[in-house]
Amino acid sequence: MPALPDDGARPSALFVCVHNAGRSQMAAGFLRALSGGAVEVRSAGSVPADRINPVAVEAMAEAGIDITAEQPKVLTTEAVQASDVVITMGCGDACPIFPGKRYEDWELDDPAGQGLDAVRPIRDEIRRRVLGLLASLGVDPVAH
């Protein structure tokens, strides 16, 4: 696994899924909250939706994290190049691969079209994985 910069810069992570409306937005919300700003957070989609999944917004609100202001964004080569860790969530071959980048693929159910009861376990699994990511980056989580 490539080393993170030791120049005092914050580590950065990019979460990518197809629509950037559910999984990647929930992961970005958890990383922002749990890192307390110690990690630079980006999210994007290979084919972004028009808006964030309202059920994902509701599930995150239950966890005390507000993602209502977020908008789905298109995946750019620049976003990948600027990130230390790229976490894909079902975007397949649409994610550009650059040598020396750390990649993780998180297989998670897609919350699109699902009710809150189905999205809660996805949210909880994303939180668990974000905590693992923080540990691998050497960042202590803040209480949330």
Side-chain angles (χ1 to χ4, degrees), residues 83-140:
S83 301
D84 297 310
V85 182
V86 179
I87 294 138
T88 58
M89 303 170 170
C91 69
D93 296 334
C95 297
I97 304 293
F98 292 96
K101 291 285 173 201
R102 176 176 151 194
Y103 288 88
E104 293 184 19
D105 185 51
W106 292 1
E107 289 191 27
L108 298 160
D109 290 337
D110 189 345
Q114 305 225 37
L116 189 57
D117 287 342
V119 173
R120 284 183 183 120
I122 299 168
R123 173 203 63 203
D124 295 344
E125 176 63 14
I126 290 170
R127 182 181 189 280
R128 187 187 69 72
R129 290 181 189 213
V130 165
L131 286 169
L133 175 63
L134 282 170
S136 76
L137 294 173
V139 175
D140 290 329

Short mmCIF file of all heavy atoms in Angstrom, two decimals, residues 83-140:
data_model
loop_
_atom_site.label_atom_id
_atom_site.label_comp_id
_atom_site.label_asym_id
_atom_site.label_seq_id
_atom_site.Cartn_x
_atom_site.Cartn_y
_atom_site.Cartn_z
N SER A 83 -6.38 12.63 -4.75
CA SER A 83 -6.75 11.84 -3.57
C SER A 83 -5.70 10.78 -3.26
O SER A 83 -5.14 10.18 -4.17
CB SER A 83 -8.11 11.17 -3.81
OG SER A 83 -9.10 12.15 -4.05
N ASP A 84 -5.46 10.58 -1.97
CA ASP A 84 -4.53 9.54 -1.53
C ASP A 84 -5.17 8.16 -1.59
O ASP A 84 -4.51 7.17 -1.91
CB ASP A 84 -4.06 9.81 -0.09
CG ASP A 84 -3.30 11.12 0.02
OD1 ASP A 84 -2.38 11.34 -0.78
OD2 ASP A 84 -3.64 11.91 0.92
N VAL A 85 -6.45 8.08 -1.23
CA VAL A 85 -7.19 6.82 -1.20
C VAL A 85 -8.44 7.00 -2.05
O VAL A 85 -9.16 7.98 -1.89
CB VAL A 85 -7.59 6.42 0.24
CG1 VAL A 85 -8.31 5.08 0.24
CG2 VAL A 85 -6.39 6.39 1.15
N VAL A 86 -8.69 6.05 -2.95
CA VAL A 86 -9.89 6.07 -3.78
C VAL A 86 -10.71 4.83 -3.42
O VAL A 86 -10.23 3.70 -3.56
CB VAL A 86 -9.53 6.06 -5.29
CG1 VAL A 86 -10.80 6.05 -6.13
CG2 VAL A 86 -8.65 7.26 -5.64
N ILE A 87 -11.93 5.06 -2.93
CA ILE A 87 -12.80 3.97 -2.53
C ILE A 87 -13.96 3.90 -3.51
O ILE A 87 -14.74 4.84 -3.64
CB ILE A 87 -13.31 4.15 -1.09
CG1 ILE A 87 -12.12 4.03 -0.15
CG2 ILE A 87 -14.34 3.10 -0.75
CD1 ILE A 87 -12.11 5.02 0.93
N THR A 88 -14.03 2.78 -4.23
CA THR A 88 -15.09 2.60 -5.21
C THR A 88 -16.20 1.76 -4.59
O THR A 88 -15.96 0.91 -3.74
CB THR A 88 -14.55 1.93 -6.48
OG1 THR A 88 -13.96 0.67 -6.15
CG2 THR A 88 -13.51 2.82 -7.16
N MET A 89 -17.41 2.03 -5.06
CA MET A 89 -18.60 1.35 -4.57
C MET A 89 -19.48 1.00 -5.75
O MET A 89 -20.49 1.63 -5.99
CB MET A 89 -19.36 2.25 -3.60
CG MET A 89 -18.54 2.73 -2.43
SD MET A 89 -19.42 4.00 -1.53
CE MET A 89 -18.40 4.14 -0.09
N GLY A 90 -19.03 0.05 -6.55
CA GLY A 90 -19.83 -0.41 -7.66
C GLY A 90 -19.78 0.45 -8.90
O GLY A 90 -20.74 0.48 -9.66
N CYS A 91 -18.67 1.17 -9.14
CA CYS A 91 -18.62 1.97 -10.37
C CYS A 91 -17.92 1.22 -11.50
O CYS A 91 -17.78 1.74 -12.60
CB CYS A 91 -17.98 3.33 -10.14
SG CYS A 91 -16.23 3.31 -9.78
N GLY A 92 -17.46 0.01 -11.25
CA GLY A 92 -16.90 -0.83 -12.30
C GLY A 92 -15.71 -0.21 -13.01
O GLY A 92 -14.84 0.38 -12.38
N ASP A 93 -15.71 -0.32 -14.32
CA ASP A 93 -14.59 0.17 -15.12
C ASP A 93 -14.61 1.68 -15.33
O ASP A 93 -13.73 2.22 -15.99
CB ASP A 93 -14.59 -0.52 -16.49
CG ASP A 93 -14.35 -2.00 -16.36
OD1 ASP A 93 -13.72 -2.41 -15.37
OD2 ASP A 93 -14.80 -2.75 -17.25
N ALA A 94 -15.61 2.38 -14.79
CA ALA A 94 -15.70 3.82 -14.98
C ALA A 94 -14.70 4.59 -14.13
O ALA A 94 -14.48 5.77 -14.34
CB ALA A 94 -17.12 4.31 -14.66
N CYS A 95 -14.08 3.93 -13.17
CA CYS A 95 -13.14 4.60 -12.29
C CYS A 95 -11.73 4.55 -12.88
O CYS A 95 -11.22 3.47 -13.13
CB CYS A 95 -13.11 3.93 -10.91
SG CYS A 95 -14.68 4.02 -10.06
N PRO A 96 -11.12 5.71 -13.12
CA PRO A 96 -9.76 5.69 -13.66
C PRO A 96 -8.77 5.17 -12.62
O PRO A 96 -8.93 5.41 -11.43
CB PRO A 96 -9.48 7.16 -14.00
CG PRO A 96 -10.48 7.95 -13.23
CD PRO A 96 -11.65 7.05 -12.95
N ILE A 97 -7.79 4.43 -13.10
CA ILE A 97 -6.78 3.84 -12.22
C ILE A 97 -5.44 4.53 -12.49
O ILE A 97 -5.02 4.64 -13.63
CB ILE A 97 -6.64 2.32 -12.49
CG1 ILE A 97 -7.98 1.61 -12.35
CG2 ILE A 97 -5.56 1.71 -11.61
CD1 ILE A 97 -8.55 1.57 -10.96
N PHE A 98 -4.81 5.00 -11.42
CA PHE A 98 -3.50 5.63 -11.54
C PHE A 98 -2.50 4.86 -10.69
O PHE A 98 -2.79 4.53 -9.54
CB PHE A 98 -3.55 7.09 -11.05
CG PHE A 98 -4.36 7.98 -11.94
CD1 PHE A 98 -5.69 8.25 -11.65
CD2 PHE A 98 -3.82 8.53 -13.09
CE1 PHE A 98 -6.45 9.05 -12.47
CE2 PHE A 98 -4.57 9.34 -13.92
CZ PHE A 98 -5.89 9.60 -13.61
N PRO A 99 -1.32 4.59 -11.24
CA PRO A 99 -0.29 3.89 -10.46
C PRO A 99 0.05 4.68 -9.20
O PRO A 99 0.06 5.92 -9.21
CB PRO A 99 0.91 3.84 -11.40
CG PRO A 99 0.36 4.09 -12.76
CD PRO A 99 -0.88 4.92 -12.58
N GLY A 100 0.30 3.95 -8.12
CA GLY A 100 0.71 4.60 -6.87
C GLY A 100 -0.43 5.05 -5.99
O GLY A 100 -0.21 5.50 -4.88
N LYS A 101 -1.66 4.96 -6.49
CA LYS A 101 -2.82 5.32 -5.67
C LYS A 101 -3.27 4.10 -4.89
O LYS A 101 -3.14 2.97 -5.35
CB LYS A 101 -3.99 5.79 -6.54
CG LYS A 101 -3.77 7.10 -7.22
CD LYS A 101 -3.91 8.23 -6.25
CE LYS A 101 -3.52 9.54 -6.92
NZ LYS A 101 -3.17 10.53 -5.94
N ARG A 102 -3.80 4.34 -3.73
CA ARG A 102 -4.38 3.25 -2.94
C ARG A 102 -5.86 3.15 -3.30
O ARG A 102 -6.59 4.14 -3.21
CB ARG A 102 -4.21 3.56 -1.46
CG ARG A 102 -4.87 2.53 -0.56
CD ARG A 102 -4.59 2.85 0.90
NE ARG A 102 -5.67 2.38 1.74
CZ ARG A 102 -5.84 2.75 2.98
NH1 ARG A 102 -5.02 3.60 3.55
NH2 ARG A 102 -6.85 2.27 3.68
N TYR A 103 -6.28 1.97 -3.73
CA TYR A 103 -7.67 1.73 -4.10
C TYR A 103 -8.28 0.69 -3.17
O TYR A 103 -7.62 -0.27 -2.80
CB TYR A 103 -7.77 1.21 -5.54
CG TYR A 103 -7.48 2.26 -6.57
CD1 TYR A 103 -6.17 2.49 -6.99
CD2 TYR A 103 -8.48 3.05 -7.10
CE1 TYR A 103 -5.88 3.47 -7.93
CE2 TYR A 103 -8.21 4.04 -8.04
CZ TYR A 103 -6.90 4.23 -8.44
OH TYR A 103 -6.63 5.21 -9.36
N GLU A 104 -9.53 0.90 -2.82
CA GLU A 104 -10.32 -0.09 -2.09
C GLU A 104 -11.66 -0.17 -2.80
O GLU A 104 -12.19 0.84 -3.27
CB GLU A 104 -10.55 0.33 -0.64
CG GLU A 104 -9.32 0.35 0.22
CD GLU A 104 -9.62 0.68 1.68
OE1 GLU A 104 -10.79 0.55 2.11
OE2 GLU A 104 -8.68 1.08 2.37
N ASP A 105 -12.21 -1.36 -2.89
CA ASP A 105 -13.55 -1.53 -3.44
C ASP A 105 -14.45 -2.04 -2.32
O ASP A 105 -14.20 -3.11 -1.77
CB ASP A 105 -13.56 -2.49 -4.63
CG ASP A 105 -14.94 -2.55 -5.27
OD1 ASP A 105 -15.50 -1.48 -5.58
OD2 ASP A 105 -15.47 -3.66 -5.45
N TRP A 106 -15.44 -1.24 -1.96
CA TRP A 106 -16.38 -1.62 -0.92
C TRP A 106 -17.65 -2.14 -1.60
O TRP A 106 -18.38 -1.38 -2.23
CB TRP A 106 -16.72 -0.43 -0.03
CG TRP A 106 -15.60 0.07 0.82
CD1 TRP A 106 -14.32 -0.40 0.88
CD2 TRP A 106 -15.65 1.17 1.73
NE1 TRP A 106 -13.58 0.32 1.78
CE2 TRP A 106 -14.37 1.29 2.32
CE3 TRP A 106 -16.65 2.05 2.12
CZ2 TRP A 106 -14.08 2.27 3.26
CZ3 TRP A 106 -16.36 3.02 3.05
CH2 TRP A 106 -15.09 3.12 3.63
N GLU A 107 -17.89 -3.43 -1.45
CA GLU A 107 -19.13 -4.01 -1.99
C GLU A 107 -20.24 -3.78 -1.00
O GLU A 107 -20.23 -4.32 0.10
CB GLU A 107 -18.93 -5.49 -2.27
CG GLU A 107 -18.03 -5.75 -3.46
CD GLU A 107 -18.07 -7.20 -3.90
OE1 GLU A 107 -19.08 -7.87 -3.67
OE2 GLU A 107 -17.06 -7.64 -4.47
N LEU A 108 -21.17 -2.93 -1.39
CA LEU A 108 -22.30 -2.56 -0.53
C LEU A 108 -23.57 -2.57 -1.38
O LEU A 108 -23.53 -2.21 -2.55
CB LEU A 108 -22.10 -1.14 0.02
CG LEU A 108 -20.88 -0.92 0.91
CD1 LEU A 108 -20.53 0.55 0.97
CD2 LEU A 108 -21.17 -1.45 2.32
N ASP A 109 -24.67 -2.93 -0.76
CA ASP A 109 -25.95 -2.86 -1.46
C ASP A 109 -26.23 -1.41 -1.85
O ASP A 109 -25.88 -0.48 -1.11
CB ASP A 109 -27.09 -3.38 -0.58
CG ASP A 109 -27.01 -4.88 -0.37
OD1 ASP A 109 -26.40 -5.58 -1.20
OD2 ASP A 109 -27.56 -5.36 0.65
N ASP A 110 -26.88 -1.23 -2.98
CA ASP A 110 -27.25 0.09 -3.45
C ASP A 110 -28.54 0.51 -2.75
O ASP A 110 -29.54 -0.20 -2.82
CB ASP A 110 -27.44 0.07 -4.97
CG ASP A 110 -27.61 1.45 -5.58
OD1 ASP A 110 -27.88 2.42 -4.84
OD2 ASP A 110 -27.49 1.55 -6.81
N PRO A 111 -28.55 1.68 -2.09
CA PRO A 111 -29.77 2.11 -1.40
C PRO A 111 -30.84 2.66 -2.35
O PRO A 111 -31.96 2.91 -1.91
CB PRO A 111 -29.28 3.20 -0.45
CG PRO A 111 -28.01 3.71 -1.05
CD PRO A 111 -27.41 2.55 -1.80
N ALA A 112 -30.53 2.82 -3.62
CA ALA A 112 -31.51 3.38 -4.57
C ALA A 112 -32.78 2.55 -4.58
O ALA A 112 -32.74 1.33 -4.70
CB ALA A 112 -30.91 3.45 -5.97
N GLY A 113 -33.90 3.23 -4.42
CA GLY A 113 -35.20 2.57 -4.49
C GLY A 113 -35.56 1.76 -3.26
O GLY A 113 -36.58 1.08 -3.25
N GLN A 114 -34.74 1.81 -2.23
CA GLN A 114 -35.00 1.04 -1.01
C GLN A 114 -35.60 1.94 0.06
O GLN A 114 -35.37 3.15 0.07
CB GLN A 114 -33.69 0.44 -0.50
CG GLN A 114 -32.99 -0.39 -1.56
CD GLN A 114 -32.50 -1.69 -0.99
OE1 GLN A 114 -33.13 -2.31 -0.15
NE2 GLN A 114 -31.34 -2.10 -1.47
N GLY A 115 -36.30 1.32 0.97
CA GLY A 115 -36.88 2.05 2.10
C GLY A 115 -35.86 2.23 3.21
O GLY A 115 -34.77 1.65 3.20
N LEU A 116 -36.24 3.02 4.20
CA LEU A 116 -35.35 3.34 5.31
C LEU A 116 -34.87 2.09 6.06
O LEU A 116 -33.70 2.00 6.43
CB LEU A 116 -36.04 4.32 6.26
CG LEU A 116 -35.19 4.92 7.37
CD1 LEU A 116 -33.96 5.65 6.81
CD2 LEU A 116 -36.02 5.87 8.22
N ASP A 117 -35.75 1.12 6.26
CA ASP A 117 -35.36 -0.10 6.98
C ASP A 117 -34.25 -0.85 6.25
O ASP A 117 -33.40 -1.48 6.87
CB ASP A 117 -36.56 -1.02 7.19
CG ASP A 117 -37.51 -0.49 8.25
OD1 ASP A 117 -37.10 0.37 9.05
OD2 ASP A 117 -38.68 -0.93 8.28
N ALA A 118 -34.24 -0.79 4.92
CA ALA A 118 -33.20 -1.46 4.13
C ALA A 118 -31.91 -0.63 4.08
O ALA A 118 -30.82 -1.18 3.92
CB ALA A 118 -33.71 -1.73 2.72
N VAL A 119 -32.03 0.68 4.19
CA VAL A 119 -30.87 1.56 4.08
C VAL A 119 -30.09 1.65 5.39
O VAL A 119 -28.86 1.82 5.38
CB VAL A 119 -31.30 2.96 3.57
CG1 VAL A 119 -30.14 3.95 3.60
CG2 VAL A 119 -31.86 2.85 2.15
N ARG A 120 -30.77 1.49 6.52
CA ARG A 120 -30.07 1.58 7.81
C ARG A 120 -28.88 0.63 7.92
O ARG A 120 -27.79 1.05 8.34
CB ARG A 120 -31.05 1.34 8.96
CG ARG A 120 -31.94 2.50 9.25
CD ARG A 120 -32.84 2.22 10.45
NE ARG A 120 -33.76 3.32 10.68
CZ ARG A 120 -35.08 3.20 10.64
NH1 ARG A 120 -35.65 2.03 10.39
NH2 ARG A 120 -35.84 4.25 10.85
N PRO A 121 -29.02 -0.67 7.56
CA PRO A 121 -27.85 -1.55 7.67
C PRO A 121 -26.73 -1.16 6.70
O PRO A 121 -25.55 -1.34 7.03
CB PRO A 121 -28.38 -2.95 7.35
CG PRO A 121 -29.84 -2.83 7.14
CD PRO A 121 -30.24 -1.39 7.23
N ILE A 122 -27.07 -0.61 5.55
CA ILE A 122 -26.04 -0.13 4.61
C ILE A 122 -25.29 1.03 5.26
O ILE A 122 -24.06 1.08 5.24
CB ILE A 122 -26.68 0.29 3.26
CG1 ILE A 122 -27.40 -0.88 2.61
CG2 ILE A 122 -25.63 0.90 2.33
CD1 ILE A 122 -28.30 -0.49 1.43
N ARG A 123 -26.05 1.96 5.83
CA ARG A 123 -25.45 3.11 6.53
C ARG A 123 -24.51 2.63 7.64
O ARG A 123 -23.39 3.12 7.77
CB ARG A 123 -26.56 3.98 7.12
CG ARG A 123 -26.05 5.12 8.00
CD ARG A 123 -27.10 5.62 8.99
NE ARG A 123 -27.50 4.57 9.93
CZ ARG A 123 -28.65 4.55 10.58
NH1 ARG A 123 -29.56 5.50 10.38
NH2 ARG A 123 -28.93 3.58 11.42
N ASP A 124 -24.96 1.67 8.43
CA ASP A 124 -24.16 1.20 9.56
C ASP A 124 -22.89 0.50 9.09
O ASP A 124 -21.83 0.65 9.71
CB ASP A 124 -25.00 0.28 10.45
CG ASP A 124 -26.16 1.03 11.10
OD1 ASP A 124 -26.16 2.28 11.12
OD2 ASP A 124 -27.09 0.35 11.59
N GLU A 125 -22.97 -0.23 7.98
CA GLU A 125 -21.78 -0.88 7.42
C GLU A 125 -20.81 0.16 6.87
O GLU A 125 -19.59 0.03 7.04
CB GLU A 125 -22.19 -1.87 6.32
CG GLU A 125 -21.02 -2.53 5.62
CD GLU A 125 -20.14 -3.41 6.52
OE1 GLU A 125 -20.54 -3.74 7.66
OE2 GLU A 125 -19.04 -3.75 6.08
N ILE A 126 -21.33 1.21 6.25
CA ILE A 126 -20.46 2.28 5.76
C ILE A 126 -19.74 2.93 6.93
O ILE A 126 -18.53 3.18 6.86
CB ILE A 126 -21.27 3.31 4.94
CG1 ILE A 126 -21.71 2.68 3.62
CG2 ILE A 126 -20.48 4.58 4.71
CD1 ILE A 126 -22.72 3.52 2.83
N ARG A 127 -20.45 3.19 8.02
CA ARG A 127 -19.81 3.80 9.20
C ARG A 127 -18.68 2.91 9.71
O ARG A 127 -17.59 3.39 10.02
CB ARG A 127 -20.84 4.03 10.30
CG ARG A 127 -20.23 4.72 11.54
CD ARG A 127 -21.29 4.91 12.64
NE ARG A 127 -20.78 5.75 13.71
CZ ARG A 127 -19.98 5.31 14.69
NH1 ARG A 127 -19.60 4.03 14.71
NH2 ARG A 127 -19.54 6.13 15.62
N ARG A 128 -18.94 1.60 9.78
CA ARG A 128 -17.92 0.66 10.26
C ARG A 128 -16.68 0.71 9.36
O ARG A 128 -15.55 0.76 9.83
CB ARG A 128 -18.50 -0.76 10.30
CG ARG A 128 -17.58 -1.79 10.94
CD ARG A 128 -18.13 -3.21 10.80
NE ARG A 128 -18.11 -3.70 9.43
CZ ARG A 128 -16.99 -4.04 8.76
NH1 ARG A 128 -15.82 -3.95 9.32
NH2 ARG A 128 -17.08 -4.49 7.52
N ARG A 129 -16.90 0.75 8.06
CA ARG A 129 -15.78 0.77 7.12
C ARG A 129 -15.02 2.10 7.18
O ARG A 129 -13.80 2.14 7.02
CB ARG A 129 -16.26 0.48 5.70
CG ARG A 129 -16.71 -0.96 5.55
CD ARG A 129 -17.15 -1.25 4.15
NE ARG A 129 -17.76 -2.56 4.05
CZ ARG A 129 -17.67 -3.33 2.98
NH1 ARG A 129 -16.99 -2.92 1.92
NH2 ARG A 129 -18.26 -4.50 2.95
N VAL A 130 -15.75 3.20 7.37
CA VAL A 130 -15.09 4.51 7.50
C VAL A 130 -14.21 4.53 8.74
O VAL A 130 -13.10 5.07 8.71
CB VAL A 130 -16.13 5.66 7.50
CG1 VAL A 130 -15.51 6.96 7.98
CG2 VAL A 130 -16.73 5.84 6.10
N LEU A 131 -14.67 3.92 9.83
CA LEU A 131 -13.82 3.84 11.03
C LEU A 131 -12.54 3.05 10.74
O LEU A 131 -11.46 3.42 11.19
CB LEU A 131 -14.61 3.23 12.19
CG LEU A 131 -15.66 4.13 12.82
CD1 LEU A 131 -16.55 3.34 13.77
CD2 LEU A 131 -15.01 5.32 13.53
N GLY A 132 -12.66 1.98 9.97
CA GLY A 132 -11.48 1.21 9.56
C GLY A 132 -10.55 2.03 8.69
O GLY A 132 -9.32 1.96 8.81
N LEU A 133 -11.12 2.82 7.79
CA LEU A 133 -10.33 3.69 6.93
C LEU A 133 -9.56 4.71 7.78
O LEU A 133 -8.37 4.93 7.56
CB LEU A 133 -11.23 4.41 5.92
CG LEU A 133 -10.56 5.44 5.02
CD1 LEU A 133 -9.50 4.81 4.13
CD2 LEU A 133 -11.61 6.18 4.19
N LEU A 134 -10.24 5.31 8.73
CA LEU A 134 -9.57 6.28 9.61
C LEU A 134 -8.39 5.63 10.33
O LEU A 134 -7.31 6.21 10.41
CB LEU A 134 -10.56 6.84 10.65
CG LEU A 134 -11.51 7.91 10.13
CD1 LEU A 134 -12.58 8.21 11.18
CD2 LEU A 134 -10.77 9.17 9.75
N ALA A 135 -8.60 4.42 10.84
CA ALA A 135 -7.51 3.71 11.53
C ALA A 135 -6.34 3.49 10.58
O ALA A 135 -5.17 3.69 10.96
CB ALA A 135 -8.01 2.38 12.09
N SER A 136 -6.61 3.12 9.32
CA SER A 136 -5.53 2.88 8.36
C SER A 136 -4.81 4.16 7.98
O SER A 136 -3.66 4.11 7.56
CB SER A 136 -6.09 2.19 7.11
OG SER A 136 -6.78 3.11 6.29
N LEU A 137 -5.48 5.31 8.14
CA LEU A 137 -4.86 6.59 7.84
C LEU A 137 -4.15 7.17 9.07
O LEU A 137 -3.54 8.23 8.99
CB LEU A 137 -5.92 7.59 7.35
CG LEU A 137 -6.58 7.27 6.01
CD1 LEU A 137 -7.73 8.24 5.74
CD2 LEU A 137 -5.56 7.30 4.88
N GLY A 138 -4.29 6.49 10.21
CA GLY A 138 -3.67 6.98 11.43
C GLY A 138 -4.39 8.17 12.02
O GLY A 138 -3.80 9.00 12.72
N VAL A 139 -5.71 8.27 11.77
CA VAL A 139 -6.53 9.39 12.27
C VAL A 139 -7.47 8.84 13.33
O VAL A 139 -8.23 7.91 13.06
CB VAL A 139 -7.31 10.05 11.12
CG1 VAL A 139 -8.25 11.12 11.66
CG2 VAL A 139 -6.38 10.62 10.07
N ASP A 140 -7.43 9.43 14.51
CA ASP A 140 -8.34 9.03 15.58
C ASP A 140 -9.71 9.64 15.31
O ASP A 140 -9.82 10.85 15.05
CB ASP A 140 -7.84 9.52 16.94
CG ASP A 140 -6.60 8.77 17.39
OD1 ASP A 140 -6.44 7.59 17.04
OD2 ASP A 140 -5.77 9.38 18.09
#
